[in-house]
Amino acid sequence: MPVPAPLPPEILAPLRQQLRCNFPQLDQVFPDCMTEARILLSETGIRDYLEGASLICRIGRGFEPVLVYLEEMPRVAADLGEETLALVSQTVWKLSRSPNGKAILPFLQSIAEAARRLASAELLTRYTAMILDFMERTTGSIHGFHTTIPSPSLPDLLERIPYLLSQLTCHGLRNWLDYGLRHYADHPDRQRDYFSLQSADSRAVLQRERHGVLFVDHERQLDLYLRALWQERQTFVPYSDAFDEPRKPLPYFDALGVRIPDCYDDRDGVAGIDRYRALLAHVAAHLRWSGSLVADNLSPFQRIAVETFEDCRVESLALREYPGLRRILLALHPTPAEDACDPERESCIRHRLAMFSRAVLDPDHGYRDPNLLDFVARFHAELAEGSSSTQAIADLAISYIARTRRQQDLAPNVHFTDTEVDYRDDNRHLWRYIEQGDEEEAFEERKPRQADDVETLPPRHYPEWDYQSKTYRPDWVSLYEGLHPSGDPAHIDALLDKHRMLAKRLKQILDLLKPQQYVRLRYQEEGSELDLDVAIRSLIDFRGGATPDPRINMSHRHDGRDIAVMLLLDLSQSLNQIPDGCSQTILELSQEAVALLGWAIDHLGDEFAIAGFSSNTRHEVRYQHIKGYGEGWDDQVKGRLAAMEAGYSTRMGAALRHAAHYLEARQADKKLLLILTDGQPHDIDVDDERLLIEDTHKAVQELDQQGIYTYCINLDSHADEYVRDCFGNRFTVIDRVERLPEKLPQLFMALTK
Amino acid sequence: MRAVKRQATHPPHPPHPPRATMSIDTEQYKVSQEPFYQPLDNEIALYEAAYRRRLPVMVKGPTGCGKSRFVEFMAWRLGKPLITVACNEDMTASDLVGRYLLDATGTRWLDGPLTVAARIGAICYLDEIVEARQDTTVVIHPLTDHRRCLPLDKKGEVVTAHPDFQLVISYNPGYQSLMKDLKQSTKQRFSALVFDYPPADLETRIVATETGIAPELAAALVKIAAAARNLKGHGLDEGISTRLLVYAANLMDEGIAPREASRMALVDPITDDEDIRSTLHHAIDAVFP
């Protein structure tokens, strides 16, 4: 680029006067900055530019912010519009009016990159607003009115902005910031960890918000793709290329599965999902057609040539099968220019191979190198007969290397431009090594690891609904299912005996409920009664000369009950209370009620299971199995019921989801989930009262979609405040807890009548 | 295209019911033109052997793989009349056997298709037999063992089957539920021929011959079908049938672009699952360059 002529002093001097700033260093850079500014900016723009610089000079943070502003802003203003000049200087001014002086320089340094990524003045405005909002929410205050403590994480955040914007859209950045602010606003150390991308959830949320086609959302499609087009079944192991900066991981596959990137952006007109498919097609082609070779006898150059040739071979075979793939592969494969690499100064080995690969794939490649053309022809001739073989193509590759070898191939500066084919794997499957290595440990025998003795069921993870961000927190809750300890079954029998009067009354109702509904079956040729309507119609047909329908009878049949019930018991600490006007704890009353209900449902013959739950933070939700669908109402079940104990908290959503997964597997027509609780969902690691209520509500909605009817029986007389938010209209509040044993079975029968 | 089930289904109440005493026009049940049938194995010889001994035959296989076409072809080859009954849930035993009708002067008996077939010595083909209720299917029992007769209990007559009479049923074991299965006592009266979608080269030939499209296009269609059949059990209940391939080929023969024809005839009818649609659409794009 030609260096523009320096400005004459008569133009420079008035401009220098407009910039009210007296740092001595300024005079050295001022002429250069103004030369650039005059090329890029209009008259007004220059005025705004100098005013902005004066403003930044006045904040008293030394010369460096002024310098960054002077250097970066003409380019930004030229690209996004001159209103950004004032926007940036005003934002810096606002930052300087807060205790966050340290963040000013990183902010200014982030502007150039942010402008390049966001590419519009509107988005840049939104970005600065986001930063100011962030500052406001993280800057601490003492006694509530003067903000005095600087934001702990703002400088760290600003330093990472270029990286963040390369991964996230403006909207994604907003979500990522919101998540961090919501969870770590009052915890400076964790806040810093989160916003400097140190903590695990920070990275996890970042992954989730990335732009492009995410693997997690498309895993099934990819699985279907392999099955349908290649009859392959592979495990996918996603890796992230977002964090390993020094060395980019490549896709590969081995016995444990296919490692694929967790996210693909659309590129060169190829949708992200099609990039995944191209990668899988390549892998599947290797699986189908590639053999393996001994690596020890080949030099590194020979090996990379063999790999490229083999890649080309399997791709050509895949294209024979699916010619439509060529469009995608052509778009993704780089097109190295023939004279891009100077063989006298750089190592052109990769460039030569990439050209070969392009020439095989693209019939209109237009390369003129005779060696290249010769080998492309030999390659096609080799494949003309059939599918050839890995060994045969390796021989061709080695002779290609021998023919085109140059002295400079060994040079350290390898030409990389346009030589990377990112849908290809790293070909580690191609090589067999005779010698494992010289390291000592290679000779030691590996001891097989002892498998840990498994005593409890492994935890199941359930998501939790975050109503503020309207997203699920993935795998948030760990649920441990276990068998409820056993007690003395005679205790339950005694309870039933105590309520035998009630049981007698219930039995009358039960007998009425037992399956005996009649369903009319019409249009029967033979039946128990004449169906007059049809008979008359037939007679009319007959009189009219048409063929009468002979199915003029009807009969009846019994319609059975087909209900599967799950009773979920809240076993939290509060059950140990003795409510006013009672002599028993809620736990004891529940026990009696459940015993009666169990007896009643057993009598009715419906499918029936009981489980209890309690929670101790999201890491430990306990789900205790009391009765399964396969078990009868026997002593074992009664024993577990007799040993019921209360403790810990009520994290209802996860328990509902877990209970639902059992209920879902039942075949019954109607599925009913009864939940017996004495209070609102609550856990000790949750400060926000609404959170678990909303999560429960979400869980109920999910269950609805699975065709499970959820019904809550609440023993808390203040339940009206929240129970409707969780369960809609499907709840009953039992105010007089002492009547629970009587109410519960009645309620059940009313529900299922 | 000729309808795959070209042989008219026997109507339950024909406009001019043949009386038992009247002679029946057997010609109407004959298959007049040779249906195109591509043998896959030696099923023709097997069927002929079964017919020589008048063994009842069951043809099993997924939908649209050519079961009905095979039966039609065999009827043509043997020169026997073919009476097809499409079974359904509402069908009663009298729909098969026959019934009394009220007449101005009293009642008269009307033979059902099974009785007609037994009288005239036709091949009686009960299509999708499991769709009929189990109490209906038992009426075929006496015809399918050594007795070879059909008692008409309402009429008080025992029809002895014509020496040429044979019973064939078809049955798709794929999508039937637990409730819809044949009784063991029914199953064990039949010899069975198992059909499946033909191998790729034969299926290509079938599609090409049936519709007259170029063999390369037919081969591409067969490749798409293979992709879909790999997904059976992973969201698809049935793969793409040969019949659908023929539909797609017909659309292409009408001048519709291959991709659109394939989407219309092969993908959209069989699935509503977005992931599967996307995968199959990709398969179509991959197969047609």
Side-chain angles (χ1 to χ4, degrees):
Chain A
M1 197 173 121
V3 181
L7 294 171
E10 63 271 19
I11 301 182
L12 212 52
L15 291 174
R16 179 66 188 83
Q17 271 173 8
Q18 281 185 48
L19 178 54
R20 293 177 299 280
C21 189
N22 297 324
F23 287 108
Q25 303 97 311
L26 180 59
D27 292 319
Q28 293 169 14
V29 296
F30 189 70
D32 289 345
C33 292
M34 286 321 292
T35 317
E36 196 191 4
R38 276 176 59 91
I39 295 168
L40 295 169
L41 302 178
S42 68
E43 278 301 311
T44 17
I46 289 183
R47 207 170 53 239
D48 287 348
Y49 174 56
L50 291 173
E51 254 173 41
S54 312
L55 189 65
I56 291 174
C57 198
R58 267 187 287 149
I59 63 174
R61 284 275 164 186
F63 178 60
E64 211 171 339
V66 188
L67 179 68
V68 175
Y69 183 85
L70 285 175
E71 278 179 344
E72 303 287 2
M73 283 315 290
R75 171 58 56 192
V76 173
D79 289 346
L80 303 190
E82 292 178 350
E83 66 269 28
T84 51
L85 291 165
L87 174 75
V88 171
S89 59
Q90 288 300 328
T91 311
V92 170
W93 181 254
K94 282 178 198 150
L95 283 174
S96 74
R97 297 296 95 188
S98 76
N100 294 303
K102 268 192 192 153
I104 290 175
L105 193 59
F107 172 74
L108 278 167
Q109 280 161 344
S110 77
I111 282 294
E113 180 66 16
R116 202 171 66 72
R117 290 278 176 193
L118 298 171
S120 85
E122 192 205 338
L123 284 178
L124 191 72
T125 317
R126 210 182 293 167
Y127 164 73
T128 52
M130 218 172 347
I131 295 295
L132 286 176
D133 175 57
F134 179 85
M135 178 190 84
E136 226 165 79
R137 287 165 71 179
T138 51
T139 306
S141 61
I142 296 180
H143 310 312
F145 79 96
H146 277 304
T147 50
T148 42
I149 306 165
S151 160
S153 52
L154 186 58
D156 286 334
L157 170 71
L158 288 167
E159 266 166 36
R160 277 164 187 80
I161 282 294
Y163 169 70
L164 287 168
L165 285 175
S166 74
Q167 299 293 327
L168 303 172
T169 59
C170 200
H171 179 75
L173 179 64
R174 164 97 263 169
N175 288 345
W176 183 77
L177 288 176
D178 274 350
Y179 185 93
L181 284 171
R182 213 166 41 245
H183 290 93
Y184 303 115
D186 43 11
H187 199 309
D189 289 335
R190 290 222 203 139
Q191 191 185 111
R192 209 171 300 135
D193 282 349
Y194 182 91
F195 289 108
S196 55
L197 284 170
Q198 302 291 320
S199 66
D201 61 339
S202 161
R203 287 169 171 229
V205 177
L206 181 70
Q207 281 303 322
R208 194 56 234 186
E209 294 293 338
R210 285 176 69 186
H211 44 73
V213 174
L214 296 183
F215 167 76
V216 285
D217 297 336
H218 295 83
E219 185 173 1
R220 174 156 181 259
Q221 272 195 33
L222 299 180
D223 190 44
L224 291 174
Y225 172 80
L226 267 193
R227 260 178 211 285
L229 275 78
W230 298 98
Q231 295 103 61
E232 283 290 343
R233 169 117 188 75
Q234 290 284 326
T235 315
F236 299 120
V237 186
Y239 64 79
S240 176
D241 48 11
F243 301 109
D244 303 283
E245 281 303 319
R247 194 189 156 134
K248 284 268 175 236
L250 286 175
Y252 70 90
F253 66 92
D254 57 20
L256 296 177
V258 185
R259 310 306 195 283
I260 58 178
D262 59 351
C263 171
Y264 262 141
D265 280 323
D266 298 357
R267 187 161 78 76
D268 300 326
V270 179
I273 183 73
D274 281 338
R275 290 182 67 191
Y276 273 118
R277 286 176 180 143
L279 166 61
L280 291 185
H282 184 83
V283 167
H286 270 310
L287 285 168
R288 188 175 291 184
W289 289 297
S290 278
S292 65
L293 298 168
V294 176
D296 303 53
N297 299 331
L298 300 179
S299 74
F301 284 169
Q302 287 173 329
R303 263 188 254 168
I304 138 172
V306 170
E307 286 177 7
T308 310
F309 274 57
E310 178 66 7
D311 282 342
C312 291
R313 181 178 80 94
V314 297
E315 265 167 33
S316 303
L317 295 173
L319 287 176
R320 259 183 221 172
E321 193 97 336
Y322 296 112
L325 271 179
R326 191 182 296 271
R327 183 189 64 80
I328 298 174
L329 297 190
L330 278 179
L332 293 175
H333 196 290
T335 320
E338 187 157 14
D339 46 5
C341 178
D342 179 3
E344 298 305 318
R345 292 194 295 114
E346 320 171 82
S347 163
C348 288
I349 176 89
R350 291 185 59 95
H351 181 250
R352 279 203 305 275
L353 289 169
M355 282 198 343
F356 175 83
S357 162
R358 178 81 199 177
V360 167
L361 190 63
D362 182 3
D364 312 317
H365 51 83
Y367 295 132
R368 293 178 311 276
D369 180 57
N371 280 333
L372 179 74
L373 297 180
D374 176 33
F375 272 86
V376 170
R378 281 169 69 179
F379 177 88
H380 285 309
E382 176 69 40
L383 258 75
E385 294 298 301
S387 62
S388 186
S389 70
T390 306
Q391 187 58 55
I393 219 71
D395 295 343
L396 188 67
I398 290 167
S399 55
Y400 181 64
I401 278 296
R403 172 90 71 88
T404 58
R405 192 175 159 74
R406 295 290 199 105
Q407 191 57 41
Q408 280 298 316
D409 282 354
L410 290 166
N413 53 337
V414 180
H415 182 88
F416 269 101
T417 320
D418 282 341
T419 61
E420 280 163 282
V421 188
D422 65 2
Y423 64 84
R424 288 182 181 168
D425 62 286
D426 70 358
N427 285 320
R428 65 180 62 183
H429 56 90
L430 215 52
W431 304 111
R432 248 178 345 208
Y433 293 89
I434 294 173
E435 293 195 9
Q436 291 293 338
D438 300 334
E439 300 83 11
E440 255 176 53
E441 56 262 40
F443 299 103
E444 269 178 36
E445 253 183 65
R446 288 264 181 83
K447 289 196 186 91
R449 269 197 12 218
Q450 293 287 323
D452 297 332
D453 288 337
V454 181
E455 279 187 348
T456 53
L457 285 175
R460 283 179 75 102
H461 301 290
Y462 284 97
E464 193 163 279
W465 178 251
D466 180 353
Y467 71 101
Q468 280 173 320
S469 62
K470 306 228 173 351
T471 50
Y472 284 101
R473 298 171 174 172
D475 293 347
W476 189 257
V477 182
S478 309
L479 184 143
Y480 294 83
E481 180 168 0
L483 211 54
H484 198 287
S486 273
D488 180 11
H491 179 56
I492 297 294
D493 287 331
L495 284 180
L496 285 173
D497 195 46
K498 173 181 160 195
H499 287 286
R500 63 179 182 279
M501 289 311 288
L502 180 58
K504 262 185 197 161
R505 261 208 336 269
L506 283 175
K507 195 162 179 324
Q508 287 174 345
I509 310 174
L510 287 172
D511 288 340
L512 289 175
L513 256 185
K514 270 193 178 170
Q516 50 198 342
Q517 296 101 314
Y518 271 85
V519 176
R520 243 183 353 166
L521 289 175
R522 304 185 71 180
Y523 300 106
Q524 301 292 303
E525 202 152 339
E526 280 142 31
S528 53
E529 284 168 59
L530 189 69
D531 188 340
L532 268 181
D533 287 349
V534 186
I536 292 169
R537 210 180 303 152
S538 285
L539 196 60
I540 294 168
D541 279 348
F542 170 62
R543 293 267 186 245
T547 314
D549 187 345
R551 301 170 211 181
I552 54 169
N553 289 303
M554 63 178 175
S555 54
H556 293 98
R557 99 184 135 85
H558 293 291
D559 200 8
R561 277 166 72 92
D562 193 8
I563 307 176
V565 187
M566 166 70 90
L567 177 63
L568 198 54
L569 306 173
D570 171 5
L571 296 182
S572 61
Q573 178 64 36
S574 50
L575 254 70
N576 285 332
Q577 290 167 0
I578 300 178
D580 297 338
C582 289
S583 52
Q584 291 169 292
T585 62
I586 305 179
L587 183 72
E588 284 165 330
L589 285 165
S590 302
Q591 212 170 25
E592 289 177 16
V594 172
L596 267 171
L597 181 66
W599 169 82
I601 298 180
D602 181 55
H603 201 86
L604 270 175
D606 294 341
E607 291 186 74
F608 175 41
I610 311 176
F613 73 96
S614 59
S615 71
N616 177 20
T617 76
R618 72 182 175 98
H619 300 292
E620 190 188 347
V621 174
R622 300 164 183 197
Y623 184 94
Q624 288 171 315
H625 173 101
I626 297 175
K627 178 185 179 302
Y629 288 106
E631 288 171 285
W633 177 247
D634 51 18
D635 279 358
Q636 220 173 8
V637 171
K638 288 180 191 169
R640 287 185 209 131
L641 207 55
M644 247 165 67
E645 266 179 19
Y648 303 106
S649 314
T650 322
R651 207 175 194 108
M652 210 179 272
L656 281 174
R657 290 182 180 101
H658 189 71
H661 107 275
Y662 281 118
L663 204 47
E664 206 190 356
R666 306 310 300 175
Q667 290 283 342
D669 279 348
K670 298 265 190 287
K671 296 169 186 179
L672 175 65
L673 180 72
L674 282 176
I675 179 158
L676 180 65
T677 176
D678 69 323
Q680 72 184 68
H682 169 75
D683 207 344
I684 49 170
D685 61 344
V686 180
D687 302 328
D688 183 353
E689 235 180 45
R690 299 286 319 156
L691 186 83
L692 290 180
I693 292 181
E694 295 285 342
D695 176 54
T696 306
H697 179 56
K698 194 73 188 172
V700 171
Q701 284 178 345
E702 289 162 24
L703 265 55
D704 250 2
Q705 282 166 6
Q706 296 166 21
I708 297 171
Y709 189 92
T710 320
Y711 197 90
C712 173
I713 299 137
N714 204 307
L715 307 179
D716 177 7
S717 49
H718 304 296
D720 291 326
E721 294 158 20
Y722 57 84
V723 69
R724 200 174 290 276
D725 292 344
C726 297
F727 295 94
N729 286 325
R730 301 174 181 177
F731 67 92
T732 301
V733 177
I734 296 182
D735 291 327
R736 294 175 59 196
V737 184
E738 69 274 17
R739 295 191 59 193
L740 179 69
E742 177 187 345
K743 284 273 185 190
L744 186 63
Q746 284 177 352
L747 197 88
F748 170 76
M749 289 171 213
L751 270 177
T752 57
K753 199 144 66 178
Chain B
M1 175 215 164
R2 293 165 297 185
V4 172
K5 284 180 187 151
R6 200 165 44 113
Q7 178 67 42
T9 303
H10 191 289
H13 314 296
H16 302 291
R19 285 172 189 266
T21 50
M22 253 175 68
S23 70
I24 301 163
D25 174 20
T26 57
E27 280 311 305
Q28 59 173 327
Y29 297 116
K30 288 264 174 71
V31 182
S32 53
Q33 245 182 344
E34 177 180 2
F36 167 67
Y37 180 76
Q38 172 68 51
L40 305 175
D41 201 355
N42 61 342
E43 69 268 23
I44 295 180
L46 290 174
Y47 187 97
E48 282 173 342
Y51 185 77
R52 280 197 292 277
R53 293 299 173 102
R54 304 296 186 268
L55 296 180
V57 174
M58 166 196 296
V59 275
K60 294 164 96 164
T63 178
C65 70
K67 302 186 293 285
S68 300
R69 178 63 67 90
F70 172 69
V71 174
E72 196 188 328
F73 173 78
M74 289 312 300
W76 173 84
R77 196 177 154 96
L78 298 167
K80 301 295 171 207
L82 173 66
I83 298 182
T84 305
V85 184
C87 299
N88 61 57
E89 249 173 54
D90 281 342
M91 206 175 67
T92 62
S94 352
D95 286 329
L96 282 177
V97 172
R99 58 166 59 88
Y100 272 112
L101 295 181
L102 288 167
D103 212 336
T105 51
T107 57
R108 77 189 154 84
W109 175 258
L110 172 69
D111 276 344
L114 186 65
T115 317
V116 173
R119 284 191 205 279
I120 67 173
I123 295 174
C124 184
Y125 175 43
L126 305 179
D127 197 6
E128 297 290 357
I129 182 86
V130 284
E131 293 295 334
R133 290 206 312 272
Q134 290 189 344
D135 53 335
T136 308
T137 46
V138 292
V139 303
I140 64 175
H141 285 191
L143 274 173
T144 48
D145 52 27
H146 65 280
R147 290 172 279 174
R148 279 180 68 80
C149 63
L150 180 61
L152 308 175
D153 52 350
K154 283 187 195 158
K155 198 179 177 214
E157 179 189 346
V158 176
V159 178
T160 310
H162 188 282
D164 286 351
F165 170 78
Q166 189 201 19
L167 192 70
V168 182
I169 62 175
S170 83
Y171 158 54
N172 177 353
Y175 59 72
Q176 267 79 28
S177 67
L178 200 65
M179 307 301 288
K180 282 185 180 171
D181 197 6
L182 288 179
K183 279 176 194 279
Q184 272 304 322
S185 58
T186 307
K187 282 183 184 170
Q188 297 211 3
R189 284 158 196 275
F190 287 88
S191 57
L193 288 170
V194 178
F195 281 66
D196 201 351
Y197 298 121
D201 51 338
L202 284 184
E203 196 168 24
T204 307
R205 200 186 309 162
I206 291 170
V207 174
T209 320
E210 185 81 26
T211 61
I213 63 164
E216 306 82 69
L217 285 178
L221 285 175
V222 169
K223 215 174 261 180
I224 298 169
R229 287 169 198 165
N230 289 330
L231 293 183
K232 188 174 169 185
H234 298 278
L236 279 186
D237 294 333
E238 284 280 353
I240 293 171
S241 63
T242 311
R243 175 166 43 219
L244 283 182
L245 293 184
V246 170
Y247 286 179
N250 274 311
L251 288 172
M252 279 153 65
D253 212 25
E254 279 294 310
I256 308 287
R259 283 164 203 241
E260 286 172 285
S262 309
R263 284 178 191 200
M264 177 175 171
L266 303 184
V267 180
D268 295 343
I270 63 166
T271 181
D272 298 318
D273 181 329
E274 221 19 77
D275 289 344
I276 290 184
R277 274 166 55 100
S278 156
T279 304
L280 291 180
H281 283 174
H282 177 82
I284 291 170
D285 288 346
V287 160
F288 292 111

